[in-house]
Amino acid sequence: MNEKRVKEPEEVVVAVMPKQDLSWIPNLLKKRVCTTFVEDSFSNGGRCQCGATRDSHPSVALGDNFSTAIVSHWDSIQHSSEQPTDAYGELEFAGSGKRHSYFLRLSSTTVPSVVFDIMRQYWKLGQPNLVVSVVGGEGRSKVKSWVREVLRQGLVKAAQSTGAWIITSGLKEGIGKCVGEAVRDHATAVSSVSLNKVVPIGIAPWGMVHNRQQLVDPEGSFPAKYFVQSTSRGTYSLDNNYKAFLLVDDGTEGRKGGEFGFRGRLEDYISRQRPGSASIDIPVLNMLISGEVSMVEALEISLKNSMPWLVLADSGGLANLVSDIVENVQSDPMCAFGVAEKEEGSPNMELRERITTKVKKHFPSEQDMDKLVDKVLSIYQKKDLISIYHAEGTDDFDTVMLKVLVQASKHRVSVTTNPYVDELKLAVTWNRVDIAKSELFSGNIDWKYEDLEESMTDALENNKPQFVRLFIDNGLNILNYLTYGRLEGLYDSISKTSQAGVLLQHLLEERINESNDKTCRVSIYEVSLLLEYLLGEVCQPFYRSLFKVDAASTRRKALKRVCKALKEEYSYQQSMCRHPWLCLFLWAVLQNRGEMAILCWEMCGESVLTALGGCKILRELSKLETETDAKLPMKELATKFEFMAHDVFGTCYQTKASYSYKLLIRKSNLWGDATCLKMAMAADARYFFSHDGVQSLLSQIWWGDMERGTELWKLALTMIIPPLVYTNLIKFKKEENAEEVKSVMAPPPSATDCNYGETVFSFADIKHHSEGDHEDSNNIRRPTKAGTATSFRSKKIPFWVSRWKQFWYAPVTSFIGNVVTYFLFLFLYAYVLLVDFKQPPPEGPAASEYVLYFWVFTIVCEEIRETFIVGNKKFCQRLMLYIQDVWNKFDVLAISLFIAGLCCRMFRFSFNMGRGILCMDYMVFTLRLIHIFAIHRQLGPKIIILGKMIKDAFFFLFFLAVWLSAYGVANQALLYQYDPSPDRAFRRVLYRPYLHIFGQIPVEEIDTGKNWDRDCTDNLTLINEGKEPCRDTSHNWLVVILLVVFLLVTNILLVNLLIATFSYTFSKVQERSDTYWKFQRYNLIVEYHSRPTLAPPFIILSHINLLIKRNLRKVPSTKIHRFALQLKGKDANKLVKWETFQKENFLTIESKKQRGTDSERLKRMTAKVDGIIKQVGEIRDVDRRLRALESDMEFCTSSLQWIMEALSQSSTVKSPKSHPTRKAVISASIEK
């Protein structure tokens, strides 16, 4: 073919050229201009065969008369030349109000790869999963109504479901106009532009475009304003419903068919592209509707490229001819001989005669019949690539397209072991799980693991969870599928622009810099670091054991060890993942893929903890995300996981409370020894903490072994008089009561249940149980044969020791003790400041002040212990965690002020300053009471509301400060011409306007009409010496106006704004204040159960005791476990199975609720109606076949009758029997 090819280096320019610089387009893409005038014999010399008039040709084309005289046929390649294109950019349809479309004028010999790169990279057209090229029906012939319905309900619907490009002529006539209207109607029905996956593209001949001169601009049009008008004969306007236009220029004007060659090459090029991680090339399907004789050439070219065609039967024109020869000629008994070739290589003459008959039937007026028959015969020889679609057929249009593409793919590639694999790949690419279920997984096909493996990877990488579920339900074992190498491939496919992708690339760059290997890709080690960064200290790091990295090693040492391991071997990549569904869950959550993450969560064990883990990861990612569009979906999915954890735990709690308590404090092997409470706390899962089951466990831990609801005065009295603990003043839970609770709430006795029967209700037992994990399990009880709990110890704990521990180990006891002593501390502090605050040494301080110093010293010791001693984190991590708490900041401020005041009061020159600092410090210590009473059910929510209102008040103070400064400065400058005193200026500029708000307005000073009995002067010398200056009366009227405006704005506008803001905050927070309080209650319980039993100042005794136990006796701390319960073996498996069963019950209930909704009912009703319509279609098909059979029988009957009559009249054959009659035959059959 005489086509000009663009050099390969130019093709690279598209990818590297900046998108803002468009000067490269004319250098890369060309247009065609006629350079030889070949006279059209029908135009009397006034028009060239290219379609343009003589006057529109350049002088060069008209100069060589001799050459033009000997040329009888104009050819685009020979008689036109390429010049830089002058029409490209964006297109605005005047008056349409739609988004701009893209357009490009290009030569008919342009390389398709260049155009495809521009469409994808510059025009940003979505990656197609399917390309449907619609041909036919052009011109002014009317398109049938049922064809319009097929385009609207069939083609566009299928294109939306698959994410397809629809290619037509793009002109406002014929099929191009019908497709544009169908796309427009579909876009109107779609709720969002982002949800519209249909991309209509027009490929039209440049010479057929009406008003094409409006598009011409050598520097590009951004945009070009295009007016759609009623067209003259021979040209058509562009359709404003198309996204992009490729205007193919072959040098002609008003001539059709010039774009067919380029269109065929572009479709062939697209069909050989494989996007991203897809398992197949982009499928391209050509669709023929009606059509003229001139379109035969396009059909022939496309079939030579092995492109599949779908012909719409009975749509008219060329479509009727093609459907007729494909169906009827093929059904002829002589068809087998017709496709054979004779020895000299010419087609069978009988077949040619049959096709000629068909062509004359459909196109009787065609002049060049032999040429047309040759092309139709060439098309017939490729009939395996042609499928016929009948509108009354039973299959859906998208199902028909799928089968056509699969049938065509079998001719283009080698046949696989399973003939349905290609069809499955297409269904996955289109994301049509309904087709896969009905056509491929209906039970008639035996699917093997090898057949589903590649499609499973495609479904995972392209976020198609329904197919993942379908493959799992039909024989794909996830344990055999997911290896660590495949998991690395999934992480490597994460978008580099997503938040998780950016973090992984940053971690990968660190390893690349360490190993100097530029070919590295994301490994499990980067994933482990990312999860560790997001989850923090909640659980142990993931995947570290694969690289044998010591947990205590530094980051740099670990990185070197990993780089060395990755260079030597990748043996771990072939290993199967231990928990595949958890690995896929983490992978999906990091990408914020909601449906995929929920599917993996359903398949994963430990559902409550897994949902909370997903919530934690998503909320951490949302904090790092800067784009609002990406942040909001993360927060929504995190909230959804929190609600799922809450609901599943609610189902567990309703079924069996004792088991549900275990779920909250059990150490998880799946999540690296994390617990639900710890994960929920880290994830800020306030709604989860508001569940009654969680609060019930916290209440039981709060009260320890004492009865819930014990009056506080009894606790306080017992703390004052400790021997009362051995009386009946306070009721404790008895072993009998514990056994009764256990028998009601727990299953039959087992070792785990018996130790937990007490563990659930007592923090002391939880603490000792944790000790037992590390020591000798002294407090773990087992049932005896009689069903009662006995101790592992051989020696029973005395009653007076156990009762003493039961009282003093309860967190509520520590809380009451701290509250009482804190009030005493504030009383002592106030007494020192008001009564006993003596002069600096040697006169003071007094003895009471020394007691106060010692008290604060014990408080400082407790803060140091809480910050730097408790826990196993590093110093910097502990410090950062300590500072994050607002009340810890209060403590630091109070202690710092106290130390500063103490130092200042010891010296005479700074005594008053020190006393002032200590007075301010007393306020800070007193405000600390707010945090103490946050545990109260009524006061706690109000404290939360108060905190929110304080934040609102800061915004009010900002506006108020603006008005105060504006009014204060102006008022002072207008009243006093000159006042150098800073003290008076400050008071009058800021302090006096602030008092105006509360009604303290000195009228005598402001209004000069009033008498002011204050001594003042106008002498500048006296004023400089500090004398009061007199008022300036020249602008007094303006001062009064400013006062009125200031009071109007502050007292009415700003104050009412503040009240409205407070009201809104109160109503908003009040709804969720109980949830917030329950969440803070957990923090308070954790704080007080981790504290020593004694309160300041007696806490110093506990500190000494802890110092001896930790440093001398080397007894490990039990408070760091924070309600952790270690279950192993059968007990752990039993609890996991029970939780999984409850999760399935929850999913079943949710599924029933979902099926009961109106939308689901409507879907089921629609499916039933579709089934009925399909059955009616089948009945119509059977009826059509019966009618065809009846006509054939009539033909056979008439033929036999003719034979019988001929034989009866012939003298050559004489039968001894008489001719049978219909009546005789019927009588004989009745007798039989």
Side-chain angles (χ1 to χ4, degrees):
M1 303 298 289
N2 297 326
E3 295 184 359
K4 297 181 180 180
R5 295 290 180 182
V6 181
K7 296 180 180 180
E8 292 299 326
E10 294 183 355
E11 190 172 338
V12 182
V13 175
V14 182
V16 299
M17 186 65 66
K19 297 177 182 178
Q20 291 79 8
D21 185 10
L22 303 177
S23 60
W24 52 272
I25 291 182
N27 298 328
L28 183 64
L29 300 172
K30 310 296 180 181
K31 66 177 182 179
R32 280 200 168 272
V33 178
C34 179
T35 56
T36 304
F37 183 86
V38 180
E39 182 180 339
D40 188 357
S41 59
F42 298 99
S43 63
N44 295 325
R47 189 176 296 274
C48 176
Q49 290 186 14
C50 70
T53 61
R54 177 184 291 271
D55 297 337
S56 62
H57 281 71
S59 58
V60 178
L62 304 174
D64 192 357
N65 295 326
F66 177 76
S67 299
T68 57
I70 63 175
V71 175
S72 60
H73 177 71
W74 188 90
D75 182 77
S76 174
I77 302 297
Q78 297 179 1
H79 302 137
S80 65
S81 63
E82 290 186 343
Q83 297 180 6
T85 184
D86 56 1
Y88 61 92
E90 297 180 0
L91 187 62
E92 178 186 0
F93 290 91
S96 65
K98 295 184 177 181
R99 290 186 174 184
H100 296 172
S101 302
Y102 302 102
F103 74 98
L104 178 63
R105 178 184 182 183
L106 58 134
S107 171
S108 58
T109 58
T110 304
V111 178
S113 60
V114 177
V115 180
F116 186 72
D117 290 340
I118 292 177
M119 296 169 70
R120 289 284 295 118
Q121 298 177 17
Y122 176 66
W123 291 353
K124 296 297 182 182
L125 300 184
Q127 182 70 52
N129 293 322
L130 169 68
V131 175
V132 181
S133 180
V134 183
V135 178
E138 312 299 342
R140 301 183 182 274
S141 57
K142 186 176 181 181
V143 181
K144 298 179 181 180
S145 59
W146 68 269
V147 175
R148 295 175 181 268
E149 194 65 23
V150 167
L151 294 175
R152 181 178 290 104
Q153 299 295 334
L155 176 61
V156 177
K157 178 183 175 182
Q160 168 66 16
S161 64
T162 58
W165 287 3
I166 300 180
I167 299 178
T168 69
S169 65
L171 301 177
K172 209 171 186 61
E173 55 93 19
I175 291 298
K177 180 180 179 181
C178 295
V179 172
E181 293 174 349
V183 172
R184 178 199 62 197
D185 297 341
H186 168 75
T188 304
V190 175
S191 59
S192 174
V193 176
S194 60
L195 298 177
N196 187 8
K197 301 179 181 178
V198 181
V199 180
I201 299 173
I203 301 181
W206 168 259
M208 292 289 295
V209 178
H210 185 64
N211 288 339
R212 55 184 175 273
Q213 294 303 320
Q214 298 176 3
L215 310 178
V216 176
D217 188 346
E219 297 181 357
S221 302
F222 303 96
K225 204 160 188 176
Y226 185 79
F227 293 88
V228 179
Q229 300 175 350
S230 55
T231 60
S232 60
R233 189 170 186 84
T235 60
Y236 303 94
S237 297
L238 297 176
D239 195 321
N240 60 352
N241 296 306
Y242 284 75
K243 182 68 175 177
F245 296 93
L246 298 176
L247 307 179
V248 183
D249 189 2
D250 64 342
T252 63
E253 293 184 11
R255 299 287 190 268
K256 296 181 179 180
E259 80 281 8
F260 287 156
F262 171 78
R263 183 171 174 175
R265 296 197 311 276
L266 178 63
E267 293 166 358
D268 181 63
Y269 175 79
I270 294 176
S271 68
R272 302 181 188 281
Q273 304 305 305
R274 178 168 299 190
S277 59
S279 57
I280 59 172
D281 296 337
I282 299 176
V284 178
L285 174 65
N286 292 273
M287 186 175 177
L288 178 61
I289 302 176
S290 183
E292 302 173 354
V293 178
S294 59
M295 298 177 183
V296 174
E297 182 179 358
L299 179 60
E300 182 185 11
I301 294 174
S302 181
L303 287 174
K304 287 181 180 179
N305 294 330
S306 300
M307 304 297 293
W309 279 80
L310 180 62
V311 179
L312 197 61
D314 300 329
S315 60
L318 183 60
N320 288 356
L321 171 61
V322 174
S323 61
D324 192 5
I325 64 172
V326 170
E327 289 184 331
N328 297 329
V329 174
Q330 182 180 9
S331 61
D332 197 299
M334 298 300 294
C335 178
F337 301 96
V339 297
E341 295 185 0
K342 292 185 177 181
E343 294 180 358
E344 54 270 19
S346 61
N348 186 282
M349 295 304 298
E350 186 175 353
L351 175 62
R352 185 179 180 87
E353 292 177 0
R354 291 175 180 275
I355 291 179
T356 303
T357 303
K358 298 293 183 182
V359 172
K360 289 181 178 180
K361 175 183 175 182
H362 293 278
F363 296 100
S365 60
E366 178 63 26
Q367 297 179 356
D368 196 352
M369 186 63 67
D370 292 337
K371 184 177 180 181
L372 179 60
V373 170
D374 290 338
K375 292 182 179 180
V376 173
L377 186 60
S378 175
I379 292 172
Y380 179 79
Q381 292 174 347
K382 293 283 187 178
K383 65 178 181 177
D384 291 338
L385 295 172
I386 301 175
S387 300
I388 310 300
Y389 176 75
H390 295 275
E392 66 274 9
T394 59
D395 292 334
D396 295 333
F397 191 80
D398 45 8
T399 307
V400 172
M401 289 197 306
L402 177 67
K403 292 180 178 179
V404 170
L405 291 171
V406 170
Q407 187 66 24
S409 66
K410 294 178 181 178
H411 295 278
R412 300 184 64 178
V413 298
S414 59
V415 180
T416 58
T417 55
N418 191 336
Y420 299 98
V421 171
D422 293 331
E423 190 171 355
L424 176 61
K425 290 180 180 179
L426 279 174
V428 174
T429 303
W430 294 1
N431 199 18
R432 293 304 304 270
V433 70
D434 53 341
I435 296 178
K437 286 182 179 179
S438 60
E439 302 292 334
L440 303 175
F441 292 93
S442 58
N444 301 324
I445 304 174
D446 183 21
W447 291 98
K448 298 180 180 179
Y449 171 78
E450 295 77 11
D451 302 332
L452 303 177
E453 186 177 7
E454 187 175 358
S455 297
M456 178 69 169
T457 304
D458 189 4
L460 285 171
E461 292 182 350
N462 294 287
N463 194 23
K464 296 170 183 176
Q466 293 180 332
F467 274 99
V468 175
R469 187 188 298 273
L470 185 65
F471 296 151
I472 295 300
D473 294 340
N474 288 273
L476 191 143
N477 189 352
I478 194 66
L479 294 174
N480 296 330
Y481 169 79
L482 192 63
T483 62
Y484 286 109
R486 186 163 278 152
L487 183 62
E488 285 184 348
L490 292 176
Y491 275 104
D492 194 55
S493 66
I494 294 179
S495 174
K496 304 300 185 293
T497 58
S498 64
Q499 187 62 47
V502 171
L503 295 174
L504 285 174
Q505 289 302 312
H506 176 70
L507 295 172
L508 179 60
E509 290 175 0
E510 292 183 2
R511 182 160 62 88
I512 291 176
N513 296 333
E514 180 67 29
S515 61
N516 295 323
D517 185 5
K518 303 298 182 181
T519 61
C520 293
R521 71 169 192 168
V522 175
S523 68
I524 292 295
Y525 177 70
E526 283 77 37
V527 178
S528 175
L529 292 178
L530 176 58
L531 293 175
E532 183 180 1
Y533 173 73
L534 296 175
L535 293 173
E537 298 292 331
V538 179
C539 59
Q540 298 176 3
F542 285 85
Y543 310 125
R544 287 293 181 89
S545 59
L546 297 175
F547 302 97
K548 300 178 181 178
V549 176
D550 187 8
S553 60
T554 61
R555 176 85 171 266
R556 187 169 185 82
K557 290 183 179 179
L559 183 59
K560 290 183 177 180
R561 174 71 181 88
V562 170
C563 292
K564 184 178 180 181
L566 291 177
K567 285 182 179 179
E568 292 176 354
E569 57 180 353
Y570 286 85
S571 58
Y572 73 93
Q573 293 184 344
Q574 306 301 324
S575 304
M576 300 298 172
C577 293
R578 291 183 57 191
H579 308 290
W581 285 117
L582 178 61
C583 296
L584 291 178
F585 173 80
L586 295 172
W587 169 78
V589 166
L590 288 173
Q591 299 180 84
N592 195 27
R593 293 182 173 181
E595 293 185 15
M596 184 70 74
I598 291 175
L599 169 63
C600 298
W601 173 80
E602 293 176 1
M603 301 293 183
C604 191
E606 301 184 9
S607 54
V608 177
L609 181 57
T610 301
L612 292 173
C615 177
K616 163 69 175 174
I617 294 174
L618 287 168
R619 282 180 176 160
E620 292 296 329
L621 286 174
S622 66
K623 295 176 183 178
L624 301 173
E625 185 63 59
T626 56
E627 298 292 335
T628 305
D629 294 339
K631 179 181 293 187
L632 289 179
M634 288 182 182
K635 291 184 177 180
E636 292 175 359
L637 184 58
T639 304
K640 187 172 185 178
F641 275 122
E642 182 181 355
F643 276 56
M644 289 164 58
H646 176 277
D647 295 342
V648 173
F649 178 75
T651 304
C652 297
Y653 182 69
Q654 292 176 1
T655 305
K656 193 168 294 184
S658 61
Y659 270 31
S660 65
Y661 294 146
K662 290 183 182 181
L663 293 178
L664 295 177
I665 61 177
R666 171 209 50 195
K667 286 185 177 181
S668 169
N669 294 327
L670 204 63
W671 282 85
D673 290 342
T675 64
C676 289
L677 287 180
K678 192 176 181 181
M679 185 67 76
M681 179 63 196
D684 196 23
R686 301 177 181 179
Y687 182 68
F688 179 79
F689 272 104
S690 67
H691 192 277
D692 292 340
V694 180
Q695 292 300 311
S696 177
L697 175 64
L698 294 179
S699 296
Q700 293 171 18
I701 296 173
W702 177 252
W703 287 97
D705 285 338
M706 290 182 288
E707 290 288 345
R708 295 174 57 181
T710 302
E711 291 81 353
L712 296 180
W713 67 268
K714 294 182 179 180
L715 295 175
L717 183 61
T718 306
M719 294 179 66
I720 298 173
I721 310 175
L724 291 178
V725 74
Y726 300 108
T727 65
N728 292 328
L729 181 65
I730 298 177
K731 294 182 179 180
F732 292 86
K733 296 173 185 176
K734 301 179 180 179
E735 286 191 13
E736 292 80 4
N737 294 338
E739 291 299 326
E740 290 177 4
V741 174
K742 181 175 62 178
S743 63
V744 173
M745 303 179 64
S750 67
T752 306
D753 295 332
C754 289
N755 97 62
Y756 200 77
E758 287 279 335
T759 302
V760 169
F761 304 105
S762 171
F763 163 70
D765 286 339
I766 293 177
K767 181 182 67 173
H768 292 309
H769 180 77
S770 301
E771 287 181 351
D773 293 338
H774 301 279
E775 299 174 7
D776 55 356
S777 304
N778 291 331
N779 277 347
I780 299 180
R781 301 179 178 86
R782 288 184 178 176
T784 61
K785 295 181 179 180
T788 59
T790 59
S791 175
F792 274 110
R793 292 191 186 187
S794 59
K795 184 178 180 181
K796 188 176 181 181
I797 300 177
F799 170 77
W800 64 274
V801 176
S802 61
R803 179 56 59 88
W804 183 267
K805 288 184 177 180
Q806 284 177 333
F807 176 77
W808 290 104
Y809 280 5
V812 66
T813 306
S814 178
F815 172 75
I816 296 299
N818 277 272
V819 171
V820 172
T821 56
Y822 200 79
F823 272 108
L824 294 176
F825 166 74
L826 293 178
F827 176 78
L828 176 63
Y829 201 158
Y831 173 80
V832 170
L833 289 176
L834 298 176
V835 178
D836 207 12
F837 196 80
K838 295 183 178 182
Q839 292 296 318
E843 289 86 357
S848 58
E849 194 170 350
Y850 281 115
V851 174
L852 180 64
Y853 296 163
F854 176 75
W855 206 315
V856 174
F857 171 74
T858 59
I859 295 176
V860 173
C861 292
E862 173 57 21
E863 293 297 325
I864 294 174
R865 184 203 65 84
E866 181 181 347
T867 308
F868 304 113
I869 297 178
V870 176
N872 52 5
K873 298 181 181 179
K874 298 180 181 179
F875 176 80
C876 295
Q877 294 176 340
R878 293 174 181 174
L879 186 60
M880 293 299 297
L881 186 63
Y882 178 83
I883 294 177
Q884 289 177 1
D885 191 349
V886 177
W887 295 110
N888 288 337
K889 296 177 183 177
F890 259 81
D891 293 337
V892 172
L893 176 62
I895 294 171
S896 301
L897 289 176
F898 189 87
I899 295 174
L902 173 61
C903 295
C904 291
R905 68 99 56 224
M906 291 297 176
F907 305 97
R908 292 191 179 276
F909 66 89
S910 59
F911 174 77
N912 291 329
M913 181 188 295
R915 190 173 187 278
I917 294 175
L918 291 175
C919 291
M920 295 299 299
D921 189 37
Y922 179 81
M923 292 182 60
V924 178
F925 273 114
T926 306
L927 291 175
R928 191 67 170 78
L929 282 172
I930 296 176
H931 176 58
I932 293 177
F933 288 102
I935 194 68
H936 196 270
R937 190 173 188 85
Q938 280 72 36
L939 292 179
K942 300 302 183 291
I943 292 173
I944 295 171
I945 296 174
L946 180 62
K948 299 288 184 181
M949 288 184 174
I950 290 176
K951 294 180 181 179
D952 294 335
F954 278 109
F955 294 100
F956 168 78
L957 292 177
F958 168 75
F959 291 111
L960 182 62
V962 172
W963 278 98
L964 280 176
S965 60
Y967 168 74
V969 172
N971 183 66
Q972 174 68 9
L974 292 173
L975 279 177
Y976 301 95
Q977 292 183 350
Y978 179 71
D979 188 2
S981 174
D983 180 63
R984 282 198 301 265
F986 175 79
R987 289 176 179 271
R988 289 171 178 172
V989 169
L990 297 177
Y991 181 61
R992 185 173 62 185
Y994 180 75
L995 295 179
H996 289 356
I997 301 175
F998 302 98
Q1000 296 186 16
I1001 304 174
V1003 181
E1004 296 82 3
E1005 182 181 357
I1006 295 176
D1007 189 358
T1008 56
K1010 301 287 184 178
N1011 292 326
W1012 193 31
D1013 55 354
R1014 194 157 184 175
D1015 187 19
C1016 64
T1017 180
D1018 291 327
N1019 192 332
L1020 295 179
T1021 304
L1022 296 177
I1023 292 175
N1024 289 328
E1025 293 176 355
K1027 189 71 174 178
E1028 176 77 21
C1030 291
R1031 299 170 297 173
D1032 182 15
T1033 60
S1034 60
H1035 298 89
N1036 185 250
W1037 60 275
L1038 187 56
V1039 172
V1040 175
I1041 293 176
L1042 290 178
L1043 175 63
V1044 173
V1045 174
F1046 174 72
L1047 294 177
L1048 176 66
V1049 173
T1050 54
N1051 286 25
I1052 297 178
L1053 295 182
L1054 291 182
V1055 173
N1056 282 279
L1057 175 63
L1058 180 64
I1059 295 173
T1061 305
F1062 282 171
S1063 300
Y1064 172 76
T1065 301
F1066 181 84
S1067 59
K1068 183 180 179 180
V1069 178
Q1070 180 67 22
E1071 300 175 357
R1072 297 178 293 176
S1073 60
D1074 188 64
T1075 302
Y1076 293 158
W1077 168 75
K1078 290 178 179 178
F1079 180 72
Q1080 289 189 350
R1081 180 171 179 254
Y1082 170 78
N1083 294 330
L1084 203 62
I1085 292 175
V1086 169
E1087 177 184 348
Y1088 279 101
H1089 93 67
S1090 62
R1091 281 191 175 187
T1093 304
L1094 299 176
F1098 310 106
I1099 199 173
I1100 193 67
L1101 301 176
S1102 298
H1103 290 162
I1104 295 173
N1105 181 36
L1106 289 174
L1107 185 63
I1108 295 173
K1109 288 176 65 176
R1110 301 292 176 265
N1111 297 330
L1112 299 181
R1113 298 176 57 193
K1114 304 297 182 183
V1115 178
S1117 174
T1118 60
K1119 305 259 179 164
I1120 61 174
H1121 299 295
R1122 301 224 175 150
F1123 319 141
L1125 178 66
Q1126 184 74 44
L1127 294 179
K1128 297 180 180 179
K1130 294 182 179 179
D1131 298 325
N1133 293 334
K1134 185 177 181 181
L1135 185 62
V1136 170
K1137 290 180 180 179
W1138 178 80
E1139 182 185 7
T1140 304
F1141 179 72
Q1142 300 306 320
K1143 177 190 67 177
E1144 292 175 355
N1145 291 340
F1146 163 75
L1147 294 175
T1148 302
I1149 295 173
E1150 291 298 316
S1151 178
K1152 289 181 180 179
K1153 291 180 181 179
Q1154 184 68 20
R1155 288 198 301 268
T1157 58
D1158 295 337
S1159 60
E1160 289 297 322
R1161 291 178 181 177
L1162 185 60
K1163 287 181 181 179
R1164 292 197 297 271
M1165 183 63 68
T1166 304
K1168 292 180 181 179
V1169 172
D1170 291 342
I1172 294 174
I1173 294 175
K1174 188 173 183 179
Q1175 292 178 359
V1176 172
E1178 293 176 353
I1179 294 174
R1180 290 179 179 176
D1181 186 45
V1182 172
D1183 181 65
R1184 183 176 61 83
R1185 292 180 180 179
L1186 289 176
R1187 289 182 181 180
L1189 181 61
E1190 184 179 357
S1191 66
D1192 292 340
M1193 292 296 294
E1194 290 177 356
F1195 171 75
C1196 293
T1197 302
S1198 61
S1199 299
L1200 290 174
Q1201 185 176 1
W1202 177 81
I1203 293 173
M1204 291 171 59
E1205 291 176 356
L1207 291 176
S1208 63
Q1209 296 175 3
S1210 175
S1211 60
T1212 57
V1213 180
K1214 297 295 184 179
S1215 175
K1217 298 183 180 179
S1218 61
H1219 183 277
T1221 61
R1222 180 179 296 273
K1223 184 176 181 181
V1225 172
I1226 294 175
S1227 299
S1229 62
I1230 292 175
E1231 291 178 0
K1232 290 182 180 179

